[in-house]
């Protein structure tokens, strides 16, 4: 046992990964009786003789060994299923297709054209609705944040809320009424003064109390929506990435999840937590796409399905619509339609096509057009404000040449490498924190809620203390005649925080007591290119803001609130990049040798986000579209590549880390290196616990089989030829047939069928049960009946169920001697749910599922040898396929 365990660890270590017993997925469930592996304390799988009674008279289909796993380990493995992106080619399916072709004969407006029109119409609706959802979310966040900060700033300035909001009445000499309470002009305080020139009516303690109340209340409301729908927590990008990979995670694309996600993220961002809306917008776009394309929901407790969209009720169509919705989500978050398409391609979809590219592009285009129209709704078809088209503001250069020198590209590479290192540290810390949460916090909803309150209190205290610790007031820029309207608006957004209103501002408070989008624009666009443009955030202020903010972001990501990673990464990275630019200008004595600090802020934002998420192509295009300046193409590409290469030295991207922590069977694009190194074949990796049926089977046999196992697919075999594969039958189809009692009388089958043990030749072409149409079976997608919905009467148990019209007679198969690389590519590229393994006689010897292709399972398969099964006229001494 110890030697086998040591060998397994050696194999995993040679494959470039340290194995953690807690992340094993279904380890050991496929091994023979002589190959049991010790997984470590508390996680040992014991192979014991099965007490399961064979439900088949011929012995086929009963397991020889059951696996008894540690209870905690068994509960830790998520109960997920895979999508099936390839339709079953059965007789009823062929009849349905033939009927469609027959109805279209001689007609111009065919079913295919109707389906194409519906598809493009639904894509249009997805883009439009997602834009409206994003606009409402942005509006809610903006108003809630403004409401909070207005109350706090009013107390800090020593005026009432109404006076602060409506504008403090000015006296004849132009001085505000607040200034009459305390003479700012005659205090003798100079620029960069301390808080000595404060209005005596300023109530700091009351301001902190109100600030804390708003922060905690908003965070609590956001956590309550996660309490209602737990999958609404987090960014949602890892879940959508898994969904597009072919994994059917429960409740991910439900309408209830959409409401909880959007409303929850509105309050979590308004609570001042270091989170963003971008990730949740991707999730909301996917949910909108799934709901619109299927045309049904049970959110209100009533089935609202209608037959208009029945053609799209399958996994393949739903996957394509979700991919379009993810692209629309990115576009609604950043105003980047091309970047949204590339994001869906690079980070999301595992299966892609040219037609899907056009549809995703069209969906993102509609989203951008709708958002642009909403933002310029006051122009009434006049000239639009072009600055509203760019999420990060319009980047303009005061020179005719580029905003950077060619030799500075080396500095951008260095910043990218530092960003990759920062991202690796961020990911590693968050990974260890998430592991702790999985054991101590996640099992209890009450603990998750308490953690949210504790984190909100911590962030509120730190956010309020940092401006007080800074304890300096900086004079606002005065010479702004040559500044653009965008820069003037950013100056007006600076926060006084106990400084003289409209004359001074607190540098740290201006980054904290404002929304993250404004803070990012300030870091990008405040000038600092030489001795004439000295107005900026100082190095100390940037440093004081950067370290606590990124630390709090690492703590916050993973708590029970809807939260995104993009904005905290961009904001912290922009502060880091501007800090680097500011230090370079200090070294150069502000002679203008280096590029503007805003350029370095942009590179720092890209570096930190790329170091955490490890995105390259899509992130480059997203940032370009958000800035609207093509001169940054090469710097962004170099920065992101350096960040990715540096970060990959230490760990994976944060999304991939969370996918593996949740033990989701995600199939990467590359085959695990262990498969090629040890030349693993399909016969080693397959699962041998196969349950088989005959082409015509007793209803009681099928019912008992479904009750005693949870398999999703059952091979149909000709038992007289040793298990020659006839086809496959899905669990949903079998449950539907049993529920509809689609079986014939007990005496309709010829006696030779039982006598010959299920020979297909003895049946002939006659069908022995009522025919259920294909569209009737698929109409209830995805809520197929379960075996618990079937009421099997004793009189029906001996009735015959003819599976031949419903069997998938053209299943994908692979020979047992095929390499696991070929099996992996076939499985992932086609989006299969299962892959039958046959020998040279077309006899079923096993099935490959998603779990069998994971690294841990492949490592287990090496312990069994290449010839793990032993066929003896179709079965062994117990009549079981092993």
């Amino acid at each position: 046992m110890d030697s086998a365990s040591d060998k397994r660890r050696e194999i995993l270590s040679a494959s470039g990964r340290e194995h953690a017993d807690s992340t094993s997925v279904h380890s050991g469930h496929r091994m023979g009786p002589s190959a049991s592996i010790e997984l470590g304390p508390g996680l040992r799988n014991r192979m014991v003789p099965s007490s399961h009674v064979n439900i088949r008279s011929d012995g086929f289909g009963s397991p020889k060994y059951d696996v008894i796993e540690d209870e905690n380990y068994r509960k830790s493995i998520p109960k997920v299923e895979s999508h099936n992106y390839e339709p079953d080619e059965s007789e009823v399916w062929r009849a349905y297709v033939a009927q469609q072709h027959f109805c279209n004969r001689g007609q111009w407006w065919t079913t295919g054209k109707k389906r194409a029109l519906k598809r493009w119409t639904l894509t249009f609706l997805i883009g439009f609705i997602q834009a409206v959802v994003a606009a409402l979310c942005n509006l809610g966040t903006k108003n809630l944040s403004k409401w909070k900060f207005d109350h706090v700033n009013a107390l800090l300035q020593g005026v009432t809320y109404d006076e602060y909001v409506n504008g403090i009445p000015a006296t004849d000499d132009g001085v505000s009424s607040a200034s009459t309470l305390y003479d700012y002009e005659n205090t003798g305080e100079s620029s960069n003064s301390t808080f000595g020139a404060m209005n005596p009516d300023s109530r700091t303690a009351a301001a902190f109390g109100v600030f804390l109340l708003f922060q905690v209340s908003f965070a609590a409301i956001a956590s309550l929506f996660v309490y209602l729908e737990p999958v609404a927590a987090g960014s949602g990008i890892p879940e959508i990435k898994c969904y597009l990979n072919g994994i059917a995670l429960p409740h991910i694309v439900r309408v209830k999840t959409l409401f909880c996600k959007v409303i929850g993220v509105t309050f979590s961002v308004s609570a001042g937590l270091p989170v963003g809306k971008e990730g949740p917008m991707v999730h909301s776009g996917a949910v909108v796409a799934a709901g619109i394309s299927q045309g049904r929901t049970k959110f209100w407790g009533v089935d609202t399905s209608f037959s208009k969209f029945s053609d799209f009720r399958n996994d393949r169509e739903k996957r394509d619509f979700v991919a379009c919705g993810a692209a629309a989500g990115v576009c609604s978050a950043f105003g980047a339609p091309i970047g949204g398409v590339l994001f869906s391609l690079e980070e999301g979809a595992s299966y892609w096509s040219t037609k899907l590219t056009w549809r995703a592009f069209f969906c993102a285009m509609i989203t951008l057009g709708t958002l642009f129209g909403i933002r310029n709704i006051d122009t009434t078809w006049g000239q639009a404000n072009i600055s509203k088209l760019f999420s990060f503001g319009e980047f303009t250069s005061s020179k005719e040449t580029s905003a950077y020198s060619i030799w500075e590209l080396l500095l951008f590479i260095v910043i990218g490498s530092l960003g990759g290192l920062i991202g690796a540290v961020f990911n590693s810390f968050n990974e260890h924190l998430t592991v702790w949460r999985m054991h101590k916090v996640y099992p209890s909803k009450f603990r998750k809620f308490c953690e949210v309150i504790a984190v909100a209190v911590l962030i509120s205290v730190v956010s309020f203390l940092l401006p007080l610790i800074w304890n300096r007031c900086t004079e606002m820029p005065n010479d702004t005649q040559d500044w653009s309207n965008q820069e003037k608006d950013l100056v007006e957004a600076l926060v006084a925080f106990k400084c003289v209103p409209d004359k001074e501002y607190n540098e740290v408070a201006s980054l904290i007591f404002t929304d993250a989008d404004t803070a990012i624009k300030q870091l990008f666009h405040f000038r600092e290119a030489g001795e004439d443009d000295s107005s900026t955030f100082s190095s100390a202020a940037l440093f004081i803001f950067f370290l606590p903010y990124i630390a709090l972001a690492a703590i916050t990501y993973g708590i029970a609130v809807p939260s995104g990673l993009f904005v905290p990464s961009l904001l912290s990275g922009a502060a880091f990049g501007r800090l680097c630019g500011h230090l370079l200008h200090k070294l150069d004595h502000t002679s203008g040798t280096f590029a503007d600090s805003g350029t370095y802020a942009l590179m720092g934002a890209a570096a930190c986000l790329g170091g955490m998420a490890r995105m390259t192509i899509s992130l480059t295009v997203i940032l370009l579209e958000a800035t609207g300046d093509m001169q940054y193409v090469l710097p962004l590409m170099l920065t992101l590549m350096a960040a990715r290469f540096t970060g990959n030295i230490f760990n994976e991207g944060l999304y991939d880390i969370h996918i593996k922590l949740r033990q989701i069977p995600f199939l990467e694009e590359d085959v695990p290196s262990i498969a090629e190194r040890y030349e693993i074949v399909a016969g080693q990796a397959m699962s041998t616990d196969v349950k088989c049926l005959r082409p015509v089977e007793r209803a009681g046999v099928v019912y008992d089989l479904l009750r005693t196992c949870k398999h999703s697919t059952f091979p149909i075999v000709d038992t007289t030829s040793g298990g020659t594969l006839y086809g496959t039958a899905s669990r949903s189809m079998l449950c539907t047939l049993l529920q509809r009692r689609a079986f014939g009388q007990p005496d309709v089958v010829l006696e030779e069928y039982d006598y010959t043990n299920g020979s297909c030749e003895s049946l002939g072409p006659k069908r022995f049960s009522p025919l259920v149409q294909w569209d009737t079976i698929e109409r209830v997608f995805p809520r197929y009946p379960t075996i618990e919905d079937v009421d099997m009467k004793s009189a029906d148990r001996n009735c015959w169920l003819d599976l031949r019209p419903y069997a998938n007679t053209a299943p994908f198969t692979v020979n047992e001697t095929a390499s696991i690389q070929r099996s992996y590519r076939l499985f992932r590229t086609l989006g299969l749910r299962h892959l039958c393994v046959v020998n040279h006689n077309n006899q079923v010897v096993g099935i490959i599922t998603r779990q069998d292709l994971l690294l841990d399972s492949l490592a287990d398969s090496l312990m069994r040898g290449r010839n793990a099964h032993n066929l003896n006229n179709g079965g062994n001494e117990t009549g079981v396929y092993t």
Side-chain angles (χ1 to χ4, degrees):
M1 296 287 287
D2 293 337
S3 61
S5 179
D6 293 339
K7 183 177 180 182
R8 185 175 186 274
R9 294 192 182 95
E10 180 182 355
I11 291 171
L12 288 169
S13 178
S15 300
R17 174 191 158 201
E18 270 306 312
H19 172 63
D21 287 334
S22 61
T23 59
S24 298
V25 180
H26 292 288
S27 300
H29 77 289
R30 297 168 286 101
M31 294 181 291
S34 61
S36 180
I37 293 181
E38 183 177 356
L39 297 179
L43 299 178
R44 297 182 177 89
N45 295 339
R46 296 184 289 111
M47 309 297 291
V48 298
S50 174
S51 60
H52 172 68
V53 179
N54 187 3
I55 63 174
R56 289 288 302 274
S57 59
D58 53 16
F60 285 96
S62 63
K64 183 178 180 179
Y65 285 88
D66 287 335
V67 179
I68 299 180
E69 299 172 338
D70 180 80
E71 185 68 17
N72 294 328
Y73 172 70
R74 182 176 60 82
K75 291 182 178 180
S76 67
I77 298 176
K79 302 299 187 294
V80 297
E81 296 183 354
S82 299
H83 294 300
N84 188 17
Y85 295 145
E86 290 296 324
D88 291 343
E89 297 187 1
S90 60
E91 290 184 14
V92 291
W93 176 79
R94 295 187 183 96
Y96 176 80
V97 174
Q99 183 181 10
Q100 296 293 321
H101 289 309
F102 179 81
C103 296
N104 293 330
R105 289 193 307 174
Q107 294 185 7
W108 177 83
W109 189 242
T110 61
T111 303
K113 294 179 179 179
K114 295 178 183 178
R115 186 183 297 114
L117 178 61
K118 293 177 184 178
R119 187 179 287 113
W120 286 101
T121 302
L122 292 177
T123 306
F124 175 88
L125 291 176
I126 292 169
F128 177 81
I129 294 176
Q130 174 56 28
V132 174
V133 170
L136 292 176
C137 182
N138 292 334
L139 181 63
T141 301
K142 182 179 179 179
N143 290 334
L144 289 175
S145 298
K146 185 178 183 301
W147 186 41
K148 175 184 68 175
F149 289 132
D150 285 348
H151 277 86
V152 176
N153 290 329
L155 292 173
L156 289 173
Q157 298 302 328
V159 297
T160 64
Y161 173 75
D162 293 334
E163 288 179 328
Y164 184 85
V165 173
N166 299 325
I168 301 175
T171 60
D172 295 337
D173 57 357
V175 181
S176 65
S177 61
S179 298
T180 61
L181 298 177
Y182 183 68
D183 190 1
Y184 291 109
E185 301 291 341
N186 298 323
T187 56
E189 300 293 342
S190 60
S191 178
N192 296 329
S193 64
T194 62
F195 292 142
M198 289 289 77
N199 184 351
D201 291 338
S202 176
R203 293 176 289 176
T204 305
F208 172 72
V210 173
F211 180 69
L212 180 64
L213 178 62
F214 273 109
Q215 298 269 103
V216 174
S217 300
F218 287 165
I221 294 174
S223 183
L224 288 178
F225 281 99
V226 174
Y227 185 89
L228 296 176
E229 184 53 78
V231 299
S235 69
I237 292 181
E239 289 81 1
I240 297 304
K241 189 174 180 179
C242 292
Y243 185 91
L244 295 175
N245 190 257
I247 303 172
L249 296 176
H251 306 287
I252 288 300
V253 290
R254 295 284 181 87
V255 176
K256 179 182 178 182
T257 305
L258 173 65
F259 279 87
C260 294
K261 193 82 172 186
V262 174
I263 301 177
V265 76
T266 301
F267 280 96
S268 62
V269 173
S270 303
L273 303 179
V275 299
K277 305 182 294 292
E278 286 68 21
M281 286 299 100
V282 176
H283 192 179
S284 68
V287 179
V288 168
I292 294 297
S293 64
Q294 301 305 296
R296 64 187 310 176
T297 177
K298 283 191 174 181
F299 177 67
W300 304 110
V302 178
D303 192 343
T304 60
S305 60
F306 49 94
S307 59
K308 296 295 183 181
F309 304 149
S310 59
D311 291 341
F312 304 135
R313 289 187 189 145
N314 56 73
D315 289 331
R316 180 198 289 265
E317 292 285 353
K318 193 173 182 179
R319 172 203 66 190
D320 292 347
F321 279 111
V322 168
C324 295
V330 175
C331 180
S332 65
F334 291 101
I338 307 299
V341 175
L342 292 177
F343 175 86
S344 186
L345 173 61
E346 180 184 6
E347 291 295 318
S350 301
Y351 324 100
W352 202 259
S353 64
T354 305
K355 293 182 179 180
L356 184 56
T357 304
W358 284 107
R359 288 171 53 195
F361 177 82
F362 176 76
C363 188
M365 178 191 70
I366 298 301
T367 302
L368 180 63
T370 305
L371 281 175
F372 195 45
I374 293 175
R375 292 170 182 172
N376 295 277
I377 195 171
D378 55 336
T379 59
T380 316
W381 301 100
Q383 291 184 347
N385 188 351
I386 194 64
S387 63
K388 296 181 180 179
L389 190 61
F390 307 114
S391 299
F392 296 156
E394 188 177 4
F395 279 69
T396 56
S397 177
S398 59
K399 305 177 183 179
E400 296 181 357
T401 58
S402 63
Y404 55 90
S405 302
I406 296 179
W407 57 268
E408 287 184 283
L409 295 175
L410 298 177
L411 296 178
F412 297 154
I413 294 176
V414 173
I415 291 178
S417 300
L418 293 175
L421 183 61
I422 293 173
V425 174
F426 184 99
N427 294 354
S428 179
F429 174 80
N430 186 264
E431 178 182 8
H432 287 83
L433 182 60
T434 303
V435 172
W436 177 82
R437 283 171 172 156
M438 293 173 66
H439 290 87
K440 303 296 184 180
V441 180
Y442 289 169
S444 170
K445 287 187 176 182
F446 179 73
R447 294 180 196 170
K448 291 194 291 185
F449 180 79
C450 292
E451 184 192 26
V452 172
I453 301 300
V455 171
V457 171
L458 174 63
I459 293 175
S460 301
V461 172
V462 173
S463 300
F464 203 89
L465 284 179
L466 288 179
L468 293 176
I469 293 174
W470 178 243
N471 198 30
R472 290 179 60 187
C473 293
T474 305
E475 185 179 356
M476 284 191 176
N478 296 320
D479 187 13
T480 60
Q481 294 180 355
D482 59 337
W483 285 31
S484 64
N485 293 330
Q486 174 182 251
E487 292 171 313
K488 294 178 181 178
D489 293 338
L490 291 177
V491 171
E492 294 178 359
L494 293 173
V495 179
F497 194 87
K498 296 175 70 64
C499 295
V500 180
D502 300 327
K503 294 184 179 181
E504 296 176 337
Y505 69 97
N506 185 301
E507 297 179 24
V508 177
S510 296
L511 297 175
I512 296 177
F513 280 75
T514 186
D515 59 278
D517 295 337
T518 302
I520 292 174
K521 291 179 182 179
Q522 290 174 344
L523 294 172
F524 282 168
H525 298 289
F526 266 13
R527 297 187 180 185
E528 184 192 9
E531 57 184 3
D532 295 333
D533 299 315
S534 57
S535 297
T536 183
F537 293 98
S538 62
S539 301
L542 292 172
F543 185 78
I544 290 177
F545 169 77
F546 169 70
L547 283 183
Y549 186 83
I550 195 171
L552 292 175
I555 295 174
T556 304
Y557 190 79
I559 64 175
V561 296
S563 58
L565 179 65
F566 281 78
V567 163
S569 301
L570 290 171
L571 182 54
S572 59
F576 167 73
R578 192 170 184 91
L579 174 62
C580 294
H582 189 80
L583 294 176
L584 290 175
H585 284 290
K586 288 294 184 181
L587 294 175
D588 190 41
H589 302 289
T590 64
S591 61
T593 304
F594 297 96
D596 181 80
S597 293
T599 300
Y600 284 92
L602 178 61
M603 298 304 118
C608 285
L609 180 54
M612 295 177 191
R614 309 292 159 80
M615 298 187 300
T616 53
I617 303 174
S618 59
L619 185 54
T620 300
V621 178
I622 288 173
L623 293 177
L624 283 175
E625 292 184 283
T627 57
D629 199 336
M630 286 297 295
Q631 66 174 322
Y632 296 113
V633 174
L634 183 58
L636 286 174
M637 293 174 66
L638 294 174
T639 302
L640 289 172
M641 288 301 297
R644 180 182 178 91
F645 285 147
T646 305
N648 284 343
I649 296 176
F650 302 98
N651 50 34
E652 296 178 294
L654 190 59
Y655 298 141
D656 296 325
I657 289 175
H658 277 257
I659 289 174
K660 292 184 178 180
L661 286 177
R662 295 178 58 183
Q663 305 181 30
I664 300 176
F666 185 87
L667 296 183
E668 301 287 351
E669 183 178 0
D670 297 327
V671 183
S673 58
I674 187 177
E676 184 176 0
R677 180 177 292 110
Y678 294 97
E679 299 181 354
I680 303 177
V681 296
Q684 292 175 268
M686 66 183 183
S687 173
T688 57
D689 183 16
V690 183
K691 307 295 193 302
C692 301
L693 294 170
R694 295 180 295 178
V696 179
E697 192 58 88
R698 299 278 186 183
V701 171
V702 177
Y703 178 81
D704 292 340
L705 178 62
L706 295 176
R707 294 284 297 184
T708 53
C709 76
K710 299 298 182 181
H711 293 186
S712 62
T713 301
F714 303 91
I716 298 176
V717 298
D718 187 358
T719 55
T720 57
S721 59
T724 302
L725 181 63
Y726 179 85
T728 58
S730 65
R731 184 182 190 89
S732 58
M733 182 266 292
L734 293 176
C735 291
T736 302
L737 296 179
L738 291 178
Q739 186 188 47
R740 292 182 170 272
R741 304 182 71 250
F743 33 75
Q745 297 301 319
D747 55 349
V748 298
V749 179
L750 299 178
E751 295 181 0
E752 294 87 57
Y753 184 70
D754 272 338
Y755 179 76
T756 58
N757 198 20
S759 176
C760 293
E761 288 77 6
S762 63
L763 295 175
K766 183 179 179 181
R767 297 295 181 257
F768 302 100
S769 61
L771 190 63
V772 180
Q773 301 296 330
W774 179 83
D775 56 340
T776 302
I777 298 176
E778 297 297 325
R779 185 178 300 164
V780 295
F781 173 88
R783 302 183 185 96
Y784 296 106
T786 62
I787 191 61
E788 287 75 16
D789 300 327
V790 178
D791 183 16
M792 176 60 65
K793 300 178 181 179
S794 57
D796 296 334
R797 294 185 61 85
N798 288 329
C799 294
W800 291 99
L801 181 61
D802 195 345
L803 301 177
R804 290 174 296 173
Y806 315 102
N808 178 19
T809 55
F812 288 95
T813 61
V814 66
N815 196 277
E816 60 181 337
T817 59
S819 65
I820 202 62
Q821 295 97 309
R822 173 171 294 185
S823 304
Y824 188 98
R825 288 192 296 267
L826 180 64
F827 195 97
R828 187 181 186 277
T829 304
L830 295 178
L832 304 179
R833 187 172 185 174
H834 56 270
L835 184 62
C836 293
V837 182
V838 298
N839 60 12
H840 295 291
N841 297 322
N842 199 34
Q843 297 171 320
V844 180
V845 295
I847 285 184
I848 292 179
T849 60
R850 179 178 292 267
Q851 283 79 6
D852 300 321
L853 298 175
L854 301 180
L855 178 60
D856 292 314
S857 299
L858 293 178
D860 293 338
S861 66
L862 290 174
M863 316 305 298
R864 295 186 294 152
R866 181 163 295 196
N867 299 316
H869 63 277
N870 180 24
L871 286 178
N872 182 18
N873 293 327
N876 55 14
E877 65 275 7
T878 61
V880 182
Y881 281 106
T882 60

